Amino acid sequence: MSAEKTSFAQALNAALDDAMADDENVIMLGEDVADEQGGGVFKVSKGLSGKYGTKRVRSTPISEQAIIGAAVGAAITGMRPVAEIMLMNFITVAMDQLVNHAAKLRFMSGGQTNVPLVVRTTTGAGVGFGGQHSDMLEAWFAHVPGMKIATASNPADAYGLMRSAIDDEDPTILIENITHYGMTGPAAVPGYRVPLGKAAISREGGDVTLITYGRGVGDCLKAADQLADEGIEAEVIDLRTVSPWDEEAVLSSVAKTKRAVIVHEAVRPFGAGAEISSRIHEELFGELAGPVRRVASYPSPVPFAKPLETAFLYSVADIVHAARETTQKKVQ
Amino acid sequence: MNKPASSPSLSPDMARTIYRKAYLINRTDERFRAMLTNGELAVAYYPVRGHEVIAAAAMAALETEDYLVTTYRGLHDALGKGIPSRLLWAEFAGKRTGTCKGKGGPMHITHPETGVMVTTGIVGSGIPIANGLAMSSQIRGENRVAVASFGDGASNIGAFHEALNMASVWKLPVIFLCQNNQYAEHTALAAGTSVSSIAERAAGYGMPGVSCDGLDPASVYEAMSEAVSRARAGDGPTLLEARTFRLLGHIFGADFSYVPKEDLSAAEERASMTKLRQWFSERQVSEKELTQIEEDVDAEIDEAVAFALESEPPDPDDIRFDIYETEQAA
Ligand SMILES: Cc1ncc(C[n+]2csc(CCOP(=O)(O)OP(=O)(O)O)c2C)c(N)n1
Ligand SMILES: [Mg+2]
């Protein structure tokens, strides 16, 4: 990590810039990504078409199937396309290309082709975009063998995950949380990689494990501070990659703390937390001090009005409450 | 809509190549159906009877390195593009020695060595992927073209329209080869498609739309060669419709009594293999050469069938491989 501070958007831009400089097979395509169209709605690709040309950084028609399809086709020839789907809900339009093709071509071809594709997309509740621009859909893709999905909690990891996803020989979806773009943090040193499938321990503690990713990491760290005031030491695990997730890191932490709370912004039913909780119970049932808890959003479409949006999203207080419950004996 | 003039300008060499491919496709399709009928194989199969000439002549206009994306009804395209019979048969039989180690099956044939990059079972979805293959060639400054092969019904799905627009905007070296067999499952063309010739749809995307007779080798070969030249010259995509008739049910064994008898017998007459043979013999392919081609192909198929039947099926443990680059836990 360098001492320099950077924003999430700048970190992503630097990762793309460095990857394009290192390998001419890296190309970008998406709506409005070239400079003439603004360099991306969130400016993540700003300057890149100027530097690498519009052959390699292509603004596309509004055609999500055609964008992902073209990226898949280029990927099976050994190019490394980074396709942008402006907002995660628009990925629904391209599901066939992702689920039936990107994720499966390696297997169905018996390993003759593979799809080194990165899909960048953004989403997240809390900014008043309502029902069709805010969903966290990572669990859908975690349910598709052949696909990888990851999301960063800080600018340096955003850089490192992007570089690893571009290097990776399989398709990866990277979710950028819409509330994160302005966040600043230490910059990654150029060339930094965050290995896919490896979690980070964001805070160590012995009483309860908080397992999360993306925006949940900041919230869990806040909750851990409050819990520390009550004498509860929480360990915070940032999964970074949702699928394939780092079972080893999670199970060894929970084997130590005997208590776990899983936190994610996506709605609770059938979310990533269900799988993680299930695996913890399967592997550590006899050692747990209590059942695994989940903190997640309320199962409604993301609402517009502030009081409703607040009711939808979990809160830091919810995390504190759940962690306290798992450690009740100790508090009493 | 331009109609290519049907001229007898095929060279004798090219005529032999096309006859060989057409005969191979026809015999393979027939042999496969016979083996399904007698129970030697049990697989979902989409017959290609009526499509032989399209694949034979269109693929003959391509180089091995050119890319192809085709569909579940793709046996003809795969053979036309040059996949070795034995690898194709082994994959159709679900064997480890097949193109895809038995993991793909008839609906998902891949063989990059001969340019067969994707075979998809999702109607229309290969069309955007062909754009990506063409885009790769364009960015790398290669001379390869990409071909998306699909049916008339596929021209009604969104992916077709998105892909044609994008290909035209980017002037991609791609050929959209629509094999119009007049039916999409049980739905006749007029019942589900707003135009009577798919080539008309090109106008909406600012690209040439060409319709050729899919039962006439010269018509297909010339139209395809022109589209390929346009793509190689950097002048962008073509929508090429090759018109034929589906002579059997949608899938092997399916009822097709909904196809009017008189239409079917007229099409059978036009698509007769005897007539096709006659057509080639009139184009400087001698009786001796025709017989030689047929004997070679028959032997190739016999050998391929034996290879497929003798080959080992996949090992259950193979399931862990080719999901990701690294193998998965047992
Ligand atoms: C997206 C999608 N919808 C429906 C189907 C089921 N289906 C398979 S083939 C077919 C008809 C396609 O007709 P056409 O494109 O004319 O090709 P043909 O079978 O005649 O070669 C349908 C509806 C499918 N495979 N994919
Ligand atoms: Mg059809």
Side-chain angles (χ1 to χ4, degrees):
Chain A
M1 223 74 13
S2 82
E4 213 181 306
K5 291 257 178 191
T6 188
S7 76
F8 224 93
Q10 286 164 338
L12 290 163
N13 183 270
L16 292 164
D17 193 349
D18 293 353
M20 292 193 82
D22 282 2
D23 182 356
E24 63 180 21
N25 285 310
V26 179
I27 58 169
M28 290 180 57
L29 63 165
E31 292 157 21
D32 293 342
V33 298
D35 290 327
E36 202 181 328
Q37 289 76 33
V41 175
F42 299 96
K43 308 291 171 218
V44 168
S45 47
K46 200 169 163 37
L48 299 179
S49 70
K51 200 161 166 184
Y52 301 104
T54 50
K55 244 187 186 176
R56 285 180 69 194
V57 180
R58 293 178 179 232
S59 286
T60 64
I62 308 161
S63 304
E64 279 74 10
Q65 294 188 70
I67 294 168
I68 302 298
V72 168
I76 58 178
T77 72
M79 302 209 85
R80 310 192 93 79
V82 180
E84 177 178 312
I85 295 293
M86 192 183 287
L87 282 152
M88 191 161 201
N89 283 87
F90 312 158
I91 219 166
T92 50
V93 176
M95 283 304 262
D96 166 52
Q97 288 299 334
L98 289 166
V99 174
N100 290 319
H101 298 90
K104 293 180 183 165
L105 291 183
R106 179 193 283 278
F107 189 84
M108 296 195 309
S109 73
Q112 294 177 99
T113 58
N114 62 294
V115 186
L117 158 71
V118 177
V119 177
R120 287 185 44 237
T121 192
T122 186
T123 191
V127 290
F129 275 2
Q132 295 176 338
H133 288 63
S134 315
D135 280 332
M136 281 289 170
L137 303 174
E138 68 274 13
W140 291 2
F141 297 99
H143 200 63
V144 178
M147 187 62 80
K148 298 183 180 184
I149 183 148
T151 184
S153 65
N154 61 73
D157 280 3
Y159 180 99
L161 281 172
M162 176 65 72
R163 294 304 305 269
S164 294
I166 292 172
D167 292 343
D168 201 85
E169 295 296 342
D170 292 304
T172 306
I173 296 171
L174 293 180
I175 304 177
E176 297 159 15
N177 196 295
I178 202 161
T179 64
H180 273 165
Y181 285 120
M183 172 202 275
T184 56
V189 292
Y192 177 62
R193 301 289 198 277
V194 171
L196 295 176
K198 282 273 171 272
I201 297 181
S202 303
R203 173 183 175 126
E204 286 189 34
D207 296 327
V208 57
T209 304
L210 308 180
I211 301 146
T212 189
Y213 48 86
R215 180 157 74 179
V217 176
D219 294 330
C220 284
L221 289 171
K222 279 187 207 145
D225 280 343
Q226 294 182 27
L227 289 162
D229 293 342
E230 302 175 13
I232 300 170
E233 289 305 328
E235 181 145 293
V236 178
I237 295 190
D238 178 357
L239 285 180
R240 306 194 288 197
T241 305
V242 180
S243 179
W245 60 287
D246 193 344
E247 271 196 41
E248 207 181 299
V250 169
L251 294 177
S252 69
S253 174
V254 180
K256 174 180 79 176
T257 61
K258 320 251 180 269
R259 298 168 181 95
V261 177
I262 302 152
V263 179
H264 55 60
E265 180 178 339
V267 298
R268 181 186 298 113
F270 301 94
E275 171 70 13
I276 297 167
S277 165
S278 186
R279 289 295 298 140
I280 295 170
H281 285 121
E282 281 168 359
E283 295 298 317
L284 299 171
F285 185 71
E287 300 171 46
L288 292 175
V292 175
R293 303 281 164 151
R294 286 180 289 160
V295 173
S297 292
Y298 183 82
S300 74
V302 179
F304 166 67
K306 202 69 199 167
L308 294 174
E309 201 180 34
T310 307
F312 168 82
L313 272 172
Y314 72 84
S315 66
V316 171
D318 294 337
I319 305 171
V320 171
H321 180 73
R324 209 186 272 143
E325 271 191 352
T326 65
T327 58
Q328 235 161 23
K329 277 186 200 117
K330 187 177 167 145
V331 173
Q332 277 161 3
Chain B
M1 199 182 11
N2 338 324
K3 280 223 174 210
S6 189
S7 87
S9 68
L10 278 186
S11 74
D13 251 6
M14 190 50 76
R16 275 190 293 273
T17 300
I18 295 173
Y19 182 66
R20 188 186 193 289
K21 287 180 191 292
Y23 183 79
L24 171 67
I25 292 162
N26 180 268
R27 292 285 100 182
T28 305
D29 174 75
E30 195 165 298
R31 182 72 166 270
F32 199 74
R33 286 188 279 114
M35 289 174 72
L36 292 172
T37 304
N38 70 22
E40 278 177 280
L41 291 170
V43 193
Y45 176 64
Y46 302 85
V48 299
R49 185 72 190 98
H51 289 253
E52 296 93 335
V53 169
I54 300 175
M59 301 310 151
L62 297 173
E63 303 297 328
T64 307
E65 340 30 283
D66 290 328
Y67 295 126
L68 174 70
V69 178
T70 182
T71 75
Y72 52 89
R73 193 184 312 284
L75 173 85
H76 55 321
D77 288 345
L79 287 171
K81 195 69 179 66
I83 294 187
S85 285
R86 54 183 1 229
L87 300 184
L88 199 68
W89 272 95
E91 188 63 28
F92 270 56
K95 298 301 178 72
R96 206 182 194 183
T97 52
T99 47
C100 310
K101 306 178 197 164
K103 291 177 175 177
M107 260 196 261
H108 304 300
I109 298 297
T110 302
H111 192 252
E113 274 168 63
T114 49
V116 182
M117 301 305 287
V118 178
T119 300
T120 183
I122 309 294
V123 169
S125 64
I127 311 172
I129 297 177
N131 276 352
L133 298 166
M135 176 176 75
S136 169
S137 172
Q138 186 187 61
I139 292 173
R140 289 171 162 170
E142 296 172 338
N143 202 28
R144 297 172 190 224
V145 303
V147 176
S149 168
F150 53 91
D152 45 291
S155 77
N156 294 323
I157 204 164
F160 166 90
H161 298 274
E162 289 194 13
L164 264 69
N165 179 63
M166 183 182 275
S168 183
V169 171
W170 290 352
K171 277 197 178 301
L172 294 175
V174 57
I175 294 113
F176 302 109
L177 175 61
C178 179
Q179 306 194 14
N180 180 356
N181 62 10
Q182 313 296 326
Y183 283 89
E185 290 195 351
H186 292 222
T187 304
L189 189 71
T193 303
S194 60
V195 289
S196 58
S197 164
I198 307 302
E200 288 176 37
R201 294 195 153 160
Y205 303 105
M207 73 175 73
V210 180
S211 195
C212 66
D213 178 355
L215 294 168
D216 175 350
S219 174
V220 175
Y221 181 75
E222 281 165 25
M224 186 70 176
S225 298
E226 202 180 307
V228 170
S229 306
R230 186 176 297 127
R232 288 207 212 283
D235 294 334
T238 303
L239 173 58
L240 173 57
E241 172 190 32
R243 299 173 74 86
T244 183
F245 200 89
R246 199 188 70 204
L247 294 179
L248 293 163
H250 171 63
I251 191 167
F252 175 78
D255 164 59
F256 58 112
S257 55
Y258 51 88
V259 178
K261 290 281 162 298
E262 54 283 11
D263 293 359
L264 194 60
S265 48
E268 273 165 354
E269 163 66 22
R270 284 194 298 128
S272 124
M273 285 304 282
T274 319
K275 264 182 71 178
L276 188 72
R277 193 176 196 279
Q278 179 66 25
W279 191 95
F280 281 102
S281 73
E282 286 161 12
R283 276 155 188 84
Q284 301 174 48
V285 188
S286 69
E287 178 58 35
K288 195 171 156 233
E289 285 168 328
L290 289 170
T291 311
Q292 188 63 54
I293 287 170
E294 289 159 0
E295 282 173 7
D296 291 351
V297 166
D298 290 343
E300 175 182 325
I301 295 173
D302 285 343
E303 193 278 335
V305 172
F307 174 75
L309 295 178
E310 284 158 15
S311 288
E312 290 297 316
D315 187 298
D317 194 53
D318 291 352
I319 197 167
R320 301 193 293 115
F321 298 84
D322 304 319
I323 302 168
Y324 295 100
E325 184 184 23
T326 48
E327 73 207 58
Q328 298 299 287

